[in-house]
Amino acid sequence: MISLTRRLTLTYALFISLALVVLTFMVNQLTRQIFTGLIKQNITEKSGDVVRVIGEQYNPISRSFDIGAIEAIGMYFIHEGYILAISDEKGGFVWDARSHNMRECTEALEAIAARMEGEFRVSGSFQHQQYPIRYAKQLVGNISIETYGPFFYSETETLFMSSVNRIFLIAGLTFVLLSVIISMLLSRAIARPILKAEEAARQIAALHSSGSGNRQNLKIRLSDRCKTKELAGLSRSINELAHELEEGDRRQKQLVSDIAHELRTPLTYLQGSIEAILDGVWVMDREHLASCHEEIMRIIRLVQDISALTNLEWEYIELDKTDFDLAELLRVTAEQFKAAAYKKGVAITLNLIPTPINADYDRLKQVFINLLSNAVQYTDQGSVAITIEPSSKNRRISITDTGSGIAPDDLPRIFERLYRADKSRSRRTGGAGIGLAIAAAIVSAHGGAISAESGANGSAFRVFLP
Ligand code: ADP
């Protein structure tokens, strides 16, 4: 597979080179076109000059041309690429370059033809132009000028055109080389953050999947001070991913250590009790067995709660929805806690209105069991109130108590797994800090929300169901 840097370099270099080649070609063509126009004009002007200079060699007294001068002019123009043939007004022979020196004429014209066809790819032929020679407006003769057509470059012009072509070629090659270098630099600048992001993502994935080793390296972060918006966004997303994984890792460790801690307490008690019985310090009576049984039940409850919560949090919760009256569900649930509340001298009051709902009956019952058991557990005097608040949009159920309340520092964390506000008291009441996490997971699976408020006069839990 081709690397990103190489692909970008190739694309840029190809694109820029192509653009430069086309541009150079167009400028070259344009220059050549303009130059050719000038050359054609120059040839016409020079032909005019030849006619004028030859005309000046006419002597009106002898009514003849100065042959010596014409010969000198004719010979000079052979080397310029102009082959002259002069006749008098009646068409009689005066002077002809070819008759005078055929070899020089042929050599001069062949050299021009070779130059034009070989170097400039202009194929043409030898062309004759006829001009009248006048003296005082009187026709005194005719001149035929033979040149290579449609146009030709003199030696100096050939030198100039060759230099221009060479300059264009060198400039074109330099630009192509520069474009390759610029493309490489540009590609590297674009690819560098992407490659860094890819490397970081790979490292994070490798560290995370390794399961052990130095998880500290999950602290890898990319700089998001990149000037390109999308690349800065990519770096930020990877940083967020690394942060999430780090958080998940931390929570996982915390959970394992919390579970170990929760298990250690009853297990240490059981170990101590059994050793005491084995050593004969304790007698194996009903009272000791009952306390061991209570600790075993605590372990069983904890394992059941953790497994229920894990299922709720990690699996897609499939709700078995039916139509029922929420008020009826709350009444039945409250009934289960009446005896326990009565024992503590706590009253349970119901403010219910018929509220039809389509939801998972058993799971919602679990929510209210958890909320009510907490309310009764943490309330030593006063009352626990269950209310359905009238609302047109959603179902709002509140469970308020006049209990000990929750400290402001603990309030935001009570829905976390295994979080307990007061460890010693909860140990007494037997909770492991899972009930509210289970309730929150069930309510959120129904698309609802759960919130808690607390003060000196007790706590209030509100459940919103759509
Ligand atoms: P637990 O099984 O320990 O009760 P929960 O997840 O149900 O676990 O509750 C978490 C913590 O929130 C409890 O340990 C307790 O400190 C606090 N809490 C919950 N409900 C109440 C309440 N009604 N009054 C006072 N504290 C409460």
Side-chain angles (χ1 to χ4, degrees):
M1 217 183 284
I2 189 164
S3 77
L4 180 67
T5 321
R6 192 166 290 177
R7 167 162 289 191
L8 282 175
T9 308
L10 277 176
T11 314
Y12 281 138
L14 211 74
F15 181 73
I16 300 174
S17 304
L18 207 74
L20 282 172
V21 166
V22 170
L23 196 75
T24 314
F25 179 76
M26 276 165 63
V27 173
N28 187 296
Q29 284 298 310
L30 198 71
T31 313
R32 192 181 267 214
Q33 219 173 341
I34 293 169
F35 191 64
T36 307
L38 286 173
I39 292 296
K40 280 180 180 166
Q41 196 182 331
N42 196 21
I43 292 169
T44 317
E45 278 172 12
K46 227 169 185 175
S47 300
D49 284 348
V50 170
V51 176
R52 189 177 45 77
V53 173
I54 296 292
E56 281 168 7
Q57 308 315 313
Y58 182 74
N59 187 340
I61 300 159
S62 64
R63 304 187 81 190
S64 65
F65 287 92
D66 179 348
I67 300 297
I70 283 184
E71 190 179 307
I73 295 163
M75 289 307 286
Y76 167 79
F77 276 104
I78 288 177
H79 300 291
E80 292 286 302
Y82 297 79
I83 310 298
L84 311 182
I86 299 135
S87 56
D88 61 19
E89 76 274 22
K90 291 188 188 98
F93 176 84
V94 177
W95 188 84
D96 182 355
R98 281 192 186 275
S99 325
H100 184 75
N101 195 335
M102 184 61 146
R103 195 174 53 83
E104 252 181 71
C105 290
T106 318
E107 270 177 14
L109 286 177
E110 275 177 359
I112 289 172
R115 214 159 53 213
M116 293 309 286
E117 278 168 18
E119 204 166 323
F120 301 107
R121 309 257 177 272
V122 179
S123 53
S125 58
F126 298 107
Q127 297 173 355
H128 293 264
Q129 290 285 336
Q130 288 286 132
Y131 301 92
I133 308 170
R134 293 181 199 281
Y135 189 87
K137 294 188 180 167
Q138 283 275 309
L139 183 77
V140 292
N142 285 299
I143 181 165
S144 155
I145 303 175
E146 186 186 354
T147 51
Y148 184 86
F151 68 94
F152 69 97
Y153 295 147
S154 70
E155 262 177 58
T156 336
E157 288 157 355
T158 305
L159 226 65
F160 173 77
M161 256 336 261
S162 303
S163 310
V164 168
N165 283 348
R166 206 169 311 124
I167 287 168
F168 273 116
L169 190 74
I170 293 170
L173 285 176
T174 315
F175 281 142
V176 168
L177 200 75
L178 272 177
S179 75
V180 171
I181 295 170
I182 291 171
S183 306
M184 271 164 75
L185 296 176
L186 212 69
S187 310
R188 275 197 201 150
I190 292 179
R192 199 176 302 127
I194 297 177
L195 294 177
K196 269 193 191 168
E198 188 243 14
E199 173 63 21
R202 214 158 36 78
Q203 264 178 300
I204 291 166
L207 287 166
H208 193 68
S209 64
S210 69
S212 58
N214 189 4
R215 289 287 189 98
Q216 279 300 311
N217 292 342
L218 278 177
K219 292 200 182 304
I220 293 167
R221 293 295 183 271
L222 288 164
S223 160
D224 61 359
R225 279 181 302 158
C226 183
K227 286 192 188 104
T228 316
K229 202 171 130 194
E230 288 80 359
L231 296 179
L234 177 68
S235 300
R236 263 199 306 279
S237 304
I238 289 191
N239 287 347
E240 276 166 23
L241 175 73
H243 177 74
E244 276 304 311
L245 287 175
E246 198 188 348
E247 267 301 295
D249 208 42
R250 192 192 58 74
R251 277 199 295 265
Q252 195 180 327
K253 276 184 192 155
Q254 183 69 44
L255 181 66
V256 172
S257 106
D258 283 351
I259 292 171
H261 182 262
E262 288 304 318
L263 289 173
R264 199 177 304 122
T265 316
L267 284 174
T268 311
Y269 178 83
L270 282 172
Q271 183 193 16
S273 304
I274 292 167
E275 278 172 7
I277 290 168
L278 287 175
D279 293 346
V281 181
W282 275 9
V283 280
M284 202 165 67
D285 57 9
R286 188 182 162 73
E287 191 190 339
H288 284 126
L289 280 177
S291 66
C292 284
H293 181 255
E294 198 179 305
E295 291 306 314
I296 288 167
M297 286 315 289
R298 186 203 289 275
I299 295 173
I300 290 171
R301 256 199 322 274
L302 175 69
V303 171
Q304 277 171 348
D305 281 355
I306 288 171
S307 118
L309 183 63
T310 312
N311 288 342
L312 286 172
E313 283 188 344
W314 291 100
E315 281 171 21
Y316 171 71
I317 307 176
E318 221 172 276
L319 297 173
D320 182 14
K321 285 187 181 179
T322 50
D323 291 324
F324 58 89
D325 182 7
L326 197 57
E328 190 49 36
L329 166 80
L330 289 168
R331 202 169 290 121
V332 171
T333 314
E335 207 56 48
Q336 293 182 10
F337 290 93
K338 281 226 169 120
Y342 180 76
K343 248 196 231 171
K344 295 177 86 178
V346 174
I348 295 183
T349 57
L350 302 171
N351 308 302
L352 306 174
I353 45 172
T355 308
I357 191 169
N358 179 261
D360 188 322
Y361 184 90
D362 289 333
R363 287 215 154 101
L364 273 195
K365 192 172 177 194
Q366 184 66 53
V367 172
F368 296 114
I369 286 175
N370 292 4
L371 292 176
L372 270 176
S373 81
N374 279 350
V376 172
Q377 259 174 21
Y378 299 115
T379 307
D380 290 332
Q381 59 185 29
S383 63
V384 170
I386 307 167
T387 312
I388 295 183
E389 295 172 15
S391 161
S392 56
K393 280 188 191 155
N394 49 27
R395 283 92 177 157
R396 282 199 261 166
I397 307 102
S398 68
I399 292 168
T400 50
D401 63 61
T402 55
S404 53
I406 304 160
D409 282 352
D410 294 317
L411 200 57
R413 299 194 57 195
I414 52 167
F415 291 103
E416 287 178 21
R417 295 173 299 192
L418 293 161
Y419 189 81
R420 291 185 318 226
D422 181 344
K423 322 283 170 192
S424 58
R425 190 185 61 194
S426 284
R427 192 125 309 133
R428 176 172 62 83
T429 53
I434 288 177
L436 287 180
I438 290 178
I442 295 174
V443 171
S444 112
H446 278 85
I450 187 165
S451 69
E453 283 166 35
S454 194
N457 299 330
S459 314
F461 285 80
R462 284 205 167 74
V463 176
F464 302 87
L465 290 167

